[in-house]
Amino acid sequence: MQITVRLFAVHREALGTPALTLTVPDGTTAGDVWSLLVRQHPALRDLVPPTAVAVNDRVYPAEHRLADGDQVALLAPVSGGSSGGADAGGHATASGSRAASAPLLELVRDPIRTDALLDAVRHPDAGAVVLFLGTVRERSRGRHVRHLEYEAYEALARSEMARIAEHAIQRWGVRIALVHRTG
């Protein structure tokens, strides 16, 4: 059967085309397309595999069986993936400075300086930096919030922050900064 494969970003650049027709055997799944494509186009071999596959404009799991005439979009990693390839789970890995710095973990009494947080995690191999900033709700439990008093069990807060940071570093190989305002 024949399918149309749409390519984006680094995959499109490697093959020099936004789409191509691919003949595949009956029973081919969405997850099989990348392997079949790499066999026919060795230029893809060293690239990060797609992070998702869409069939006829809908994202499907890898086990989804394809039909003749399907349009399959190989969705490239956001921000171009990385130069280091992918790990066994298909997650992008970065070479060089991946998680090269110790996490920034602080409890502060003054307003949190977001520029310092961004500086702590920004690096040349990162395609993006994510900042989560909590804000004060206007209402809580049916009452208007006029102000907050921050407090923390500091020893426990520090150990939990360290545990969370270590988990994130081990699982995703990220740089991380955690700052909590306590006063």
Side-chain angles (χ1 to χ4, degrees):
M1 64 184 177
Q2 285 199 328
I3 61 171
T4 300
V5 180
R6 295 192 60 205
L7 303 162
F8 297 92
V10 68
H11 303 144
R12 182 195 69 240
E13 291 171 16
L15 296 187
T17 184
L20 54 85
T21 301
L22 188 63
T23 302
V24 297
D26 286 342
T28 298
T29 65
D32 295 333
V33 173
W34 177 252
S35 298
L36 294 169
L37 202 58
V38 168
R39 274 191 226 125
Q40 290 185 17
H41 302 277
L44 298 172
R45 186 170 291 130
D46 294 328
L47 298 180
V48 177
T51 56
V53 178
V55 179
N56 302 324
D57 302 327
R58 184 171 172 217
V59 176
Y60 281 97
E63 308 80 47
H64 177 77
R65 290 191 180 268
L66 301 176
D68 188 46
D70 278 349
Q71 183 179 104
V72 177
L74 299 179
L75 305 177
V78 175
S79 297
S82 68
S83 58
D87 65 17
H91 299 97
T93 60
S95 61
S97 62
R98 178 180 158 156
S101 63
L104 171 66
L105 306 173
E106 293 181 352
L107 296 173
V108 298
R109 299 205 185 297
D110 295 320
I112 296 170
R113 292 187 41 238
T114 57
D115 56 334
L117 295 173
L118 295 172
D119 288 344
V121 298
R122 181 181 290 131
H123 62 90
D125 290 333
V129 174
V130 177
L131 174 66
F132 171 81
L133 186 62
T135 60
V136 177
R137 295 183 181 117
E138 186 174 322
R139 300 191 65 74
S140 177
R141 298 183 200 143
R143 297 171 54 195
H144 181 74
V145 176
R146 291 183 293 164
H147 69 279
L148 291 178
E149 291 182 20
Y150 292 99
E151 63 181 344
Y153 180 5
E154 291 194 19
L156 182 58
R158 287 182 191 281
S159 68
E160 280 300 295
M161 290 167 67
R163 185 185 64 77
I164 291 166
E166 182 60 29
H167 176 76
I169 291 166
Q170 291 297 314
R171 181 156 185 196
W172 297 292
V174 296
R175 290 185 179 196
I176 190 164
L178 298 172
V179 177
H180 182 74
R181 185 172 179 197
T182 63

